[in-house]
Amino acid sequence: MSRPPTFIPPPCARARVLGTERGDFAVLDAAPPAPVRATVLMLPGYTGSKEDFIALLEPLCAAGYRVVAADGRGQYESRGTDRQETYAQGELARDVLAQAAALGCGDGELHLLGHSLGGQIARAAVLLDATAFRSLTLMSSGPAEVVAAQRDKVKMLSDALSVLTMGEVWEAMRALDPPQDADTGDGADMRHRWLAHHPAQLIATGAQLAAEPDRVDELAAVGLPVHVLSGERDEVWPVELFDSMARRLGARRTTIAGAEHSPNTARPLETAEALAAFWDGLPAV
């Protein structure tokens, strides 16, 4: 579970609702002083939220980028339903396309970034319609299903969510936390976020992570510039898979030293620098 350094947006950002043809989504919208180089739409991972990108907002704004980080359907502050079919990957991908349309960016002015599960949803959106996007960044998001140990964890969580309340599951997870993680000072915010998630969303997207097919060749055929970024260690997908995926895509590859599955929270300045360098280096459209 990603642990943002704070749940309070920086001065450059405001929390608002992004209205789309597929419903309303809670976002953090961070805008630099004019001129704006481009806009970036960011999608969080499994059990995460838009707040996972908070530490990236100020440095990316300083580099001239507007950042819109969104809670997906049923995540934290975005409304969801109790029906698992509403969280099918294709439905979530269409939500992303609707968010992109609502942002109203011109050609070549919208970059898409997804962290972990968010990366696979972002990939699905691009495969549906890449025309809205200038580039795709896959942050700690692998080519197919998660490793066996993570599949076991997802199944255990889904089984628990089927019979227990969100509060009961939270207490069980905290009891299993390593001692160094059990009291980080962010417990109230983390618990509040967890309780706001829809269980159906977690069950449905967890199943996606455990069964996602390899669609790298499909993505390569689209021809969109891709950036594969990760930490130097990762327990969800082996780092070697990120390396091979980048080669198959002909993508830019960045490894953030000292980071694991969430470089956005562990090494935000280095991550923001790498992201801006990628976007800055793309040829004009």
Side-chain angles (χ1 to χ4, degrees), residues 161-187:
L161 290 170
S162 298
V163 296
L164 301 175
T165 67
M166 290 292 284
E168 289 170 336
V169 173
W170 173 260
E171 294 304 323
M173 291 192 302
R174 295 294 279 181
L176 293 173
D177 277 343
Q180 66 270 22
D181 292 338
D183 184 15
T184 61
D186 61 359

Side-chain angles (χ1 to χ4, degrees), residues 4-37:
T6 179
F7 278 70
I8 300 173
C12 64
R14 64 187 177 104
R16 71 178 184 93
V17 173
L18 178 66
T20 81
E21 64 178 12
R22 289 178 62 84
D24 294 341
F25 296 89
V27 303
L28 294 177
D29 194 336
V36 177
R37 296 179 64 91

Side-chain angles (χ1 to χ4, degrees), residues 230-252:
S230 75
E232 62 182 351
R233 294 176 298 280
D234 198 298
E235 64 177 12
V236 183
W237 289 277
V239 171
E240 294 77 16
L241 280 183
F242 299 138
D243 296 337
S244 63
M245 179 172 68
R247 288 193 295 269
R248 292 170 62 192
L249 291 169
R252 185 183 184 110

Side-chain angles (χ1 to χ4, degrees), residues 60-134:
L60 288 177
C61 280
Y65 289 93
R66 176 191 177 199
V67 180
V68 179
D71 288 337
R73 180 188 305 208
Q75 279 186 320
Y76 193 27
E77 295 178 322
S78 287
R79 188 173 301 173
T81 77
D82 294 328
R83 294 180 290 113
Q84 291 183 38
E85 60 268 25
T86 64
Y87 304 104
Q89 189 184 78
E91 294 300 310
L92 300 181
R94 290 179 180 87
D95 287 347
V96 175
L97 296 178
Q99 292 163 10
L103 290 173
C105 299
D107 291 343
E109 295 179 350
L110 181 61
H111 301 284
L112 182 60
L113 178 150
H115 173 238
S116 194
L117 169 73
Q120 296 193 335
I121 294 170
R123 179 174 71 178
V126 166
L127 290 176
L128 281 177
D129 185 359
T131 57
F133 306 110
R134 179 67 186 93

